[in-house]
Amino acid sequence: MSVTILGIESSCDDTSSSVIRDGVMLSNVIASQAVHEAYGGVVPELASRAHQQNIIPVVAEAIKRAGIDKSELSAVAFTRGPGLMGSLLVGTSFAKGLAASLDIPMIEINHLQAHVLAHFIKETPEDDHAPSFPFLCLLVSGGNSQIIKVNAYNDMEVIGQTIDDAAGEAFDKCAKVMGLGYPGGPVVNRLANEGNPKAFTFSKPHIPGYDYSFSGLKTSFLYTLRDKLQEDPDFIEKNKQDLCASLQATVIDILMNKLRRAANDLKEVAVAGGVSANSGLRDAFLDHAKRFGWKVHIPKFSFTTDNAAMVAITGYYKYLDKEFCPMDAAPFARVEAKLK
């Protein structure tokens, strides 16, 4: 008998719903929120309100595109956390109502675990691109920078993580001080492709083990702008391509240095999260594949950002293990080091 999972993702500012049947994606609908651009970052209250407006049409569209009736659903998988509490509450509440009305189980999903398992989404039954266990995964997004050892679908160990800012956060904040708008990551990436990555030197942290830190880099970048602007008020406009290229090269170097050391004997290495859409980081993975014999796994662009297909595929594996959650499950904003 087929297992059909509806996934719901509402952890930040994207409302998404997906249907996956027996591991194969039938639909993946995402509604993004443009309202935050004017504020230079996500405004939690506005995000929550937009989710309330979007969730019913998004879920309805996902079911329609999948070509199924809601009565065929086996379970509802929803992002329980981490994320913005107001946003998570919308998705959690809707999932509870839908599951109760259809009398089907609910499956709680850890947002970070879902990013990792995005590598297991199949678009056709013949897809065979998933990593083999165990493998190492670099999870990089606006809110998280982690190195995760993935032993199984339900066994992930965080061996390194940021102690302050995440890599995506560093991109966004540095872009903001240059007046490049929000989200800054894609703009930095585009301008970096036109610049010289060795034009400027920014400080790199010296953190023991496999943990990351990006606050020092952000401060170094800010001080560089401050000093140069005193000499030339048009400094940013004249040098934005080189600034972006140097910033991006520094972030990637920090990320890959720790990942290289953590890999040791593991030769299968994956990248996940929103920053995995960065072309410089993708190139670095391909370069390391050649230099160190890694078998690298880089997700499709559509699976890098927050999406419900990664929630649904995680829900599919949890369903097979009968890992359901109670109706009173409450969302959580933060997560501990062990991914479950």
Side-chain angles (χ1 to χ4, degrees):
M1 187 172 174
S2 291
V3 176
T4 307
I5 306 294
L6 176 80
I8 294 173
E9 157 61 24
S10 68
S11 64
C12 191
D13 61 337
D14 287 331
T15 313
S16 182
S17 184
S18 171
V19 176
I20 280 185
R21 173 169 284 172
D22 297 333
V24 180
M25 186 182 80
L26 303 182
S27 65
N28 189 31
V29 179
I30 303 172
S32 298
Q33 302 174 4
V35 65
H36 307 286
E37 293 174 9
Y39 299 94
V42 176
V43 182
E45 175 63 23
L46 295 179
S48 178
R49 291 181 187 180
H51 281 301
Q52 291 177 56
Q53 294 174 333
N54 292 337
I55 192 145
I56 292 176
V58 164
V59 171
E61 183 65 18
I63 292 172
K64 179 183 175 184
R65 289 189 192 177
I68 67 164
D69 186 83
K70 61 181 182 293
S71 62
E72 298 175 55
L73 295 175
S74 307
V76 178
F78 67 99
T79 301
R80 187 178 174 189
L84 300 175
M85 187 57 75
S87 296
L88 290 165
L89 277 166
V90 176
T92 301
S93 300
F94 185 88
K96 289 178 179 181
L98 184 61
S101 69
L102 298 173
D103 195 24
I104 56 176
M106 290 171 58
I107 303 172
E108 61 174 278
I109 303 299
N110 181 307
H111 180 75
L112 306 183
Q113 181 186 23
H115 267 304
V116 176
L117 294 185
H119 286 283
F120 293 84
I121 299 168
K122 292 183 177 183
E123 294 187 89
T124 68
E126 293 74 33
D127 273 357
D128 187 24
H129 58 264
S132 300
F133 300 117
F135 66 93
L136 207 63
C137 185
L138 175 66
L139 173 56
V140 274
S141 65
N144 301 280
S145 292
Q146 300 180 326
I147 300 175
I148 303 166
K149 185 181 179 188
V150 186
N151 300 307
Y153 304 114
N154 56 356
D155 183 6
M156 302 186 190
E157 181 186 358
V158 177
I159 61 175
Q161 60 188 334
T162 182
I163 60 173
D164 42 56
D165 290 350
E169 211 173 350
F171 279 137
D172 285 342
K173 289 181 177 178
C174 290
K176 187 175 182 179
V177 297
M178 284 193 288
L180 299 181
Y182 176 86
V187 183
V188 169
N189 190 187
R190 178 172 55 80
L191 292 173
N193 292 332
E194 306 167 10
N196 175 12
K198 297 182 179 178
F200 299 97
T201 301
F202 305 115
S203 68
K204 296 177 184 177
H206 300 283
I207 308 296
Y210 303 128
D211 285 340
Y212 288 116
S213 170
F214 291 97
S215 63
L217 165 61
K218 188 182 65 179
T219 303
S220 173
F221 187 86
L222 193 63
Y223 284 172
T224 298
L225 292 188
R226 182 196 63 184
D227 295 343
K228 296 292 186 180
L229 283 170
Q230 288 177 346
E231 301 169 11
D232 180 4
D234 296 322
F235 171 76
I236 293 177
E237 188 58 35
K238 292 176 181 176
N239 296 276
K240 61 184 177 183
Q241 287 91 349
D242 287 348
L243 284 165
C244 288
S246 300
L247 171 66
Q248 179 170 290
T250 306
V251 170
I252 291 170
D253 191 48
I254 293 169
L255 289 170
M256 297 306 294
N257 182 45
K258 290 289 178 87
L259 184 66
R260 196 164 54 242
R261 286 170 45 209
N264 284 327
D265 298 328
L266 285 176
K267 292 299 182 181
E268 288 215 36
V269 185
V271 61
V275 181
S276 65
N278 181 280
S279 61
L281 184 58
R282 287 172 171 249
D283 289 343
F285 262 74
L286 296 174
D287 175 63
H288 277 59
K290 293 177 184 175
R291 287 167 55 196
F292 301 104
W294 288 0
K295 182 179 181 182
V296 297
H297 300 271
I298 302 173
K300 283 184 60 174
F301 285 110
S302 56
F303 298 142
T304 57
T305 53
D306 294 348
N307 68 91
M310 68 185 194
V311 175
I313 192 66
T314 308
Y316 170 69
Y317 290 115
K318 284 194 160 195
Y319 184 92
L320 298 181
D321 290 335
K322 297 291 182 273
E323 247 188 89
F324 306 132
C325 75
M327 190 61 76
D328 62 358
F332 57 88
R334 298 181 179 274
V335 69
E336 295 180 2
K338 188 74 173 176
L339 301 188
K340 296 180 180 178

